[in-house]
Amino acid sequence: MSARTSEREPGRAPAQALIRLGGMLRIGSDRTVIALYTLTLLLVGFGLIMVLSASSITSYLADQGFFGGFWRQVIFAVIGIPLMLVAAAMPVSFWKRYAWALFGLGIVLQLLVFTPLGFEVAGNRNWIQLGGVTAQPSEALKLALVVWVGAVMQRKEPLFGQMRHELIPVVIPGALIALGVVLLGKDLGTVMIMAALVFGAMFFGGMSWKTLGVTAIGGALAVAFFVLSSPNRMARLLSHAGGTDDYSGIDWQATHGLWALAGGGLFGVGLGNSKAKWSWLPAADNDYIFAIIGEELGLIGALLVVVLFIALTVVMLRLIVRARDRFGRAVVGGVLVWIVGQAFVNIAVVVGVLPVLGVPLPLISAGGTALIACLIAIGVVISIARDAARHDEERGLR
């Protein structure tokens, strides 16, 4: 458009920009994209309902009214969903181009927990506070890490098959730096999820079995060391194994979580009627929200959550098969292990299969940083799905 035309039609350029933006945000007819949006919004919507119920008593006791925790989570969802749409609209080339910058930013944000902005929660220094806003930088680092691993694997693809090129720099020093800065804050649960995320990206991205085996053994030895060297972690492990019976102490949360689940029966006591949320169950709206789901909605409601995450798994696995390149497969695989893997770890903790690890239920638990990071991550996955759909259409036209 010439300058003369722009002067005659001053509103035309903004209108065209809006049209382009609308086209970028268009969902389209691809079933994978539609399924990803649908399952994500169902999980977030269900989570908002359960946060409203689970947080009502603690919010009231904190002088925030019965809806304090709920409105806070709504604000995070209102921020996160548009960011997911924007991330989904970005071309895959955008994520490849800025992967290193995102990774560096993620490391810098995580290091802020060791400045005066950082503070501890339950013994873990993994939070920052700026004004009245609190955030967990490790959630942003998860997103940056999975995109970075995918970009590095794509770039080093010609050298795959040689272990040193598969390990460097994805594992050494990349993943070790990212996990190390989180571990300095003593949050082993988050570190384990991040390690699984990296391993998932490596597995679905096509790393050799030899490299995967070495990485898995190294990771297992590291976890064993950090558990055995911590009295608190050992106490939780022994508690889970039946080595303690400290009902009023370390066993309190796990025991009341199981009681809440058992009290729900098949159909539950009804939405909003939980007894455990009346200050009996710590983190009722966060790490143990699945116990409140089981209590209020029963086995049926708990299985509904499991089915939604299984459906999300199936959709992402199908996308991994369709992805155009190693970057797409690695990123989708990493996000799959992050979100769905963390969901089943959380559920396993609540039902007593695993010891208490302190990880929330993705897309459902209260927590703004975690919700926003997961939504943006799914936006990146949708970006890859849209790229795969365009590629399929081009091949069909040929």
Side-chain angles (χ1 to χ4, degrees), residues 47 50-59 64 68-70 72-73 253 276-277 281-292 346 360-361 364-367:
M50 294 312 306
V51 167
L52 170 60
S53 176
S55 68
S56 57
I57 304 304
T58 52
S59 293
Q64 299 173 357
F70 169 70
R72 188 163 54 249
Q73 191 72 358
Q253 187 172 24
K277 70 183 181 183
L281 180 60
D285 63 340
N286 193 273
D287 295 352
Y288 267 73
I289 197 169
F290 189 75
I292 304 300
N346 174 276
L361 187 58
I364 294 179
S365 289

Side-chain angles (χ1 to χ4, degrees), residues 169-193:
V170 170
V171 177
I172 306 168
L176 291 181
I177 292 175
L179 273 60
V181 294
V182 177
L183 190 58
L184 285 174
K186 302 179 181 179
D187 191 351
L188 184 60
T190 297
V191 168
M192 292 173 67
I193 296 298

Side-chain angles (χ1 to χ4, degrees), residues 92-107 140-141 143-155 327 331 380:
V92 173
S93 59
F94 172 86
W95 302 109
K96 294 178 182 178
R97 184 180 306 119
Y98 293 103
W100 282 87
L102 289 172
F103 185 57
L105 178 60
I107 296 293
L141 184 53
L143 173 61
L145 180 59
V146 72
V147 172
W148 177 80
V149 169
V152 172
M153 290 181 65
Q154 176 71 30
R155 190 151 198 173
F327 172 84
V331 171
V380 177

